Amino acid sequence: MRLDIISIFPEYFAPLDVSLIGKARERGTLDVRLHQLREWAHDVHKTVDDTPYGGGPGMVMKPEVWGEAIDTVAEGGSPRLIVPTPSGRPFDQELAQELAQEPWLLFACGRYEGIDSRVMAEYSSRMRVDEVSIGDYVLAGGEVAVLVMVEAVGRLLPGVLGNAQSAVDDSFAPGSMQNLVEGPVYTKPPVWRGHEVPAVLLSGHHGKVARWRRDEAIRRTVRNRPELAAALDPETLDKHDRKLLEELAFRLQPEDVAN
Ligand code: ADE
């Protein structure tokens, strides 16, 4: 997969040299190219922003600079353009899976109050453009959001994770544990500072281990993510699941139970 990132702080992306993503780059699975936006600013100060039309605080990134940058980086092709912004569509595991299918992504990192909206309008006729938010909080710029997205997408590429099952078992991955977060995990030693590993995990009984893991996933989902628990599809729940939810005094939405 080819990944281009345009930013006024390309040095923000040093973490992409290490760990899983760094190895994927060394192997050529991921071809990451960083670009300094200011290279396409032509005045002596390399200005990339200006005051907003209509007034208001902050600065807006100039369309001419972004236009030249994207024209150059995307020359000869049409990458999917991703623009991180707190007003974008939510980034989730489903979008990560979708982006992992793309051959070429171009991330345009805005700073200040964002990029002049005509830039997104201009490229929408030539390539797929998505404005994407990684969560309901405001960062100082899109760079950290792009790091988050690149890591989430990169680990889904074939051969990036050592164990392909890891991605299948993820919280939020499509499949049997859909809409449940993962439960707790343990490794050796069996007792640490008086805390014991749950006995069932040492039993070697695969059926009981799987049941226990599912129970713990349900408990944690109810405790930490009640909105996910409320949206559980009754079709995906067995009798044991329902009984546990009952014990946890958690009722499914009445309209779900009705059918
Ligand atoms: N830029 C600033 N805040 C952001 C967020 N929450 N998601 C994506 N890009 C951003």
Side-chain angles (χ1 to χ4, degrees):
M1 171 185 271
R2 176 172 164 186
L3 281 182
D4 286 276
I5 304 173
I6 308 174
S7 161
I8 57 168
F9 296 120
E11 58 276 25
Y12 246 101
F13 298 94
L16 298 182
D17 290 338
V18 298
S19 191
L20 280 178
I21 301 295
K23 295 223 174 65
R25 291 177 73 184
E26 278 169 24
R27 278 200 306 268
T29 309
L30 257 184
D31 172 12
V32 180
R33 306 183 194 184
L34 302 173
H35 310 274
Q36 168 55 265
L37 177 68
R38 291 194 200 276
E39 281 176 23
W40 290 282
H42 302 299
D43 64 310
V44 281
H45 302 294
K46 301 278 177 201
T47 309
V48 295
D49 59 347
D50 206 337
T51 53
Y53 275 123
M59 300 291 269
V60 174
M61 294 188 107
K62 293 164 70 61
E64 310 96 307
V65 181
W66 272 109
E68 278 193 42
I70 297 170
D71 286 349
T72 308
V73 171
E75 199 181 346
S78 59
R80 184 155 168 182
L81 179 60
I82 310 291
V83 183
T85 163
S87 48
R89 63 185 282 204
F91 184 71
D92 57 13
Q93 194 62 24
E94 200 179 323
L95 183 53
Q97 301 265 10
E98 192 185 313
L99 297 182
Q101 308 299 316
E102 298 281 350
W104 186 5
L105 300 176
L106 167 52
F107 291 95
C109 299
R111 284 257 144 187
Y112 319 115
E113 294 301 308
I115 300 172
D116 186 304
S117 214
R118 290 169 293 181
V119 173
M120 282 62 85
E122 163 74 7
Y123 289 98
S124 294
S125 60
R126 277 187 255 170
M127 53 185 74
R128 172 104 196 240
V129 179
D130 295 273
E131 292 180 284
V132 179
S133 167
I134 63 158
D136 291 341
Y137 38 79
V138 181
L139 304 166
E143 284 76 7
V144 170
V146 170
L147 280 173
V148 167
M149 289 188 266
V150 170
E151 184 155 319
V153 170
R155 67 187 283 284
L156 296 175
L157 300 178
V160 171
L161 283 188
N163 178 355
Q165 193 64 29
S166 306
V168 176
D169 289 345
D170 285 341
S171 295
F172 315 114
S176 62
M177 295 286 260
Q178 205 165 7
N179 286 318
L180 293 177
V181 299
E182 280 183 66
V185 294
Y186 302 89
T187 185
K188 291 170 272 302
V191 183
W192 176 73
R193 296 191 181 181
H195 302 272
E196 289 179 14
V197 171
V200 60
L201 296 179
L202 309 177
S203 70
H205 192 300
H206 297 305
K208 284 188 181 157
V209 169
R211 184 65 255 176
W212 180 87
R213 287 199 169 133
R214 187 166 172 87
D215 287 357
E216 291 304 307
I218 290 172
R219 286 181 204 283
R220 221 186 231 190
T221 305
V222 166
R223 190 181 340 122
N224 295 344
R225 300 295 302 275
E227 84 291 1
L228 283 184
L232 283 172
D233 177 0
E235 294 284 307
T236 67
L237 302 175
D238 62 23
K239 256 171 132 171
H240 186 109
D241 296 333
R242 288 169 208 269
K243 192 162 157 270
L244 176 59
L245 285 164
E246 194 90 358
E247 279 166 25
L248 296 170
F250 192 89
R251 297 275 189 286
L252 295 172
Q253 301 292 314
E255 63 270 25
D256 293 336
V257 177
N259 51 58

